[in-house]
mmCIF file of all heavy atoms in Angstrom:
data_model
loop_
_atom_site.group_PDB
_atom_site.id
_atom_site.type_symbol
_atom_site.label_atom_id
_atom_site.label_comp_id
_atom_site.label_asym_id
_atom_site.label_seq_id
_atom_site.Cartn_x
_atom_site.Cartn_y
_atom_site.Cartn_z
ATOM 1 N N PHE O 184 148.195 153.979 110.125
ATOM 2 C CA PHE O 184 148.397 155.340 110.619
ATOM 3 C C PHE O 184 148.552 156.362 109.502
ATOM 4 O O PHE O 184 149.445 157.181 109.491
ATOM 5 C CB PHE O 184 149.674 155.472 111.640
ATOM 6 C CG PHE O 184 149.490 154.485 112.773
ATOM 7 C CD1 PHE O 184 150.295 153.382 112.847
ATOM 8 C CD2 PHE O 184 148.618 154.749 113.735
ATOM 9 C CE1 PHE O 184 150.193 152.496 113.913
ATOM 10 C CE2 PHE O 184 148.531 153.944 114.906
ATOM 11 C CZ PHE O 184 149.315 152.753 114.912
ATOM 12 N N LYS O 185 147.714 156.187 108.482
ATOM 13 C CA LYS O 185 147.679 157.056 107.367
ATOM 14 C C LYS O 185 146.669 158.185 107.550
ATOM 15 O O LYS O 185 145.515 158.151 107.210
ATOM 16 C CB LYS O 185 147.412 156.306 105.995
ATOM 17 C CG LYS O 185 148.497 155.423 105.667
ATOM 18 C CD LYS O 185 148.314 154.841 104.274
ATOM 19 C CE LYS O 185 149.407 154.012 103.776
ATOM 20 N NZ LYS O 185 149.256 153.510 102.373
ATOM 21 N N LYS O 186 147.192 159.287 108.167
ATOM 22 C CA LYS O 186 146.283 160.417 108.432
ATOM 23 C C LYS O 186 145.945 161.153 107.189
ATOM 24 O O LYS O 186 146.745 161.237 106.297
ATOM 25 C CB LYS O 186 146.876 161.429 109.454
ATOM 26 C CG LYS O 186 147.183 160.840 110.871
ATOM 27 C CD LYS O 186 147.694 161.875 111.765
ATOM 28 C CE LYS O 186 147.850 161.329 113.191
ATOM 29 N NZ LYS O 186 148.315 162.376 114.125
ATOM 30 N N GLY O 187 144.682 161.555 107.054
ATOM 31 C CA GLY O 187 144.262 162.241 105.852
ATOM 32 C C GLY O 187 143.608 161.213 104.836
ATOM 33 O O GLY O 187 142.903 161.679 103.974
ATOM 34 N N GLU O 188 143.775 159.949 105.057
ATOM 35 C CA GLU O 188 143.157 158.975 104.163
ATOM 36 C C GLU O 188 141.670 158.841 104.500
ATOM 37 O O GLU O 188 141.297 159.088 105.659
ATOM 38 C CB GLU O 188 143.884 157.632 104.283
ATOM 39 C CG GLU O 188 143.349 156.550 103.421
ATOM 40 C CD GLU O 188 144.036 155.194 103.588
ATOM 41 O OE1 GLU O 188 143.995 154.696 104.633
ATOM 42 O OE2 GLU O 188 144.712 154.746 102.638
ATOM 43 N N ASN O 189 140.872 158.521 103.464
ATOM 44 C CA ASN O 189 139.426 158.305 103.783
ATOM 45 C C ASN O 189 139.290 157.196 104.916
ATOM 46 O O ASN O 189 139.811 156.103 104.766
ATOM 47 C CB ASN O 189 138.739 157.752 102.522
ATOM 48 C CG ASN O 189 137.247 157.717 102.695
ATOM 49 O OD1 ASN O 189 136.726 157.343 103.728
ATOM 50 N ND2 ASN O 189 136.549 158.005 101.571
ATOM 51 N N PRO O 190 138.620 157.448 106.017
ATOM 52 C CA PRO O 190 138.510 156.497 107.102
ATOM 53 C C PRO O 190 137.909 155.265 106.739
ATOM 54 O O PRO O 190 138.152 154.223 107.371
ATOM 55 C CB PRO O 190 137.687 157.326 108.168
ATOM 56 C CG PRO O 190 137.859 158.747 107.809
ATOM 57 C CD PRO O 190 137.955 158.762 106.384
ATOM 58 N N PHE O 191 137.128 155.287 105.688
ATOM 59 C CA PHE O 191 136.345 154.045 105.309
ATOM 60 C C PHE O 191 137.341 152.947 104.648
ATOM 61 O O PHE O 191 137.008 151.866 104.592
ATOM 62 C CB PHE O 191 135.177 154.434 104.376
ATOM 63 C CG PHE O 191 134.149 155.059 104.959
ATOM 64 C CD1 PHE O 191 133.968 156.467 104.882
ATOM 65 C CD2 PHE O 191 133.183 154.352 105.740
ATOM 66 C CE1 PHE O 191 132.915 157.117 105.496
ATOM 67 C CE2 PHE O 191 132.106 154.973 106.467
ATOM 68 C CZ PHE O 191 131.988 156.355 106.308
ATOM 69 N N VAL O 192 138.511 153.456 104.220
ATOM 70 C CA VAL O 192 139.518 152.523 103.746
ATOM 71 C C VAL O 192 140.045 151.677 104.850
ATOM 72 O O VAL O 192 140.108 150.460 104.716
ATOM 73 C CB VAL O 192 140.663 153.350 103.056
ATOM 74 C CG1 VAL O 192 141.692 152.327 102.599
ATOM 75 C CG2 VAL O 192 140.174 154.119 101.820
ATOM 76 N N GLU O 193 140.400 152.258 105.895
ATOM 77 C CA GLU O 193 140.922 151.533 107.095
ATOM 78 C C GLU O 193 139.853 150.638 107.622
ATOM 79 O O GLU O 193 140.099 149.510 108.057
ATOM 80 C CB GLU O 193 141.457 152.475 108.189
ATOM 81 C CG GLU O 193 141.996 151.800 109.345
ATOM 82 C CD GLU O 193 143.361 151.047 109.127
ATOM 83 O OE1 GLU O 193 144.013 151.414 108.233
ATOM 84 O OE2 GLU O 193 143.601 150.022 109.800
ATOM 85 N N GLU O 194 138.681 151.074 107.775
ATOM 86 C CA GLU O 194 137.522 150.332 108.218
ATOM 87 C C GLU O 194 137.334 149.083 107.369
ATOM 88 O O GLU O 194 137.158 147.980 107.837
ATOM 89 C CB GLU O 194 136.241 151.177 108.220
ATOM 90 C CG GLU O 194 135.042 150.418 108.796
ATOM 91 C CD GLU O 194 133.793 151.273 108.907
ATOM 92 O OE1 GLU O 194 133.875 152.621 108.622
ATOM 93 O OE2 GLU O 194 132.671 150.723 109.083
ATOM 94 N N ALA O 195 137.395 149.247 106.068
ATOM 95 C CA ALA O 195 137.153 148.124 105.151
ATOM 96 C C ALA O 195 138.289 147.058 105.332
ATOM 97 O O ALA O 195 138.012 145.890 105.356
ATOM 98 C CB ALA O 195 137.150 148.614 103.720
ATOM 99 N N LEU O 196 139.471 147.558 105.495
ATOM 100 C CA LEU O 196 140.672 146.639 105.708
ATOM 101 C C LEU O 196 140.493 145.846 107.034
ATOM 102 O O LEU O 196 140.749 144.566 107.050
ATOM 103 C CB LEU O 196 141.965 147.367 105.794
ATOM 104 C CG LEU O 196 142.419 147.947 104.373
ATOM 105 C CD1 LEU O 196 143.616 148.902 104.571
ATOM 106 C CD2 LEU O 196 142.709 146.963 103.441
#
Side-chain angles (χ1 to χ4, degrees):
F184 304 106
K185 291 189 175 182
K186 292 185 178 180
E188 182 181 64
N189 188 324
F191 290 101
V192 174
E193 181 67 29
E194 181 178 348
L196 290 172

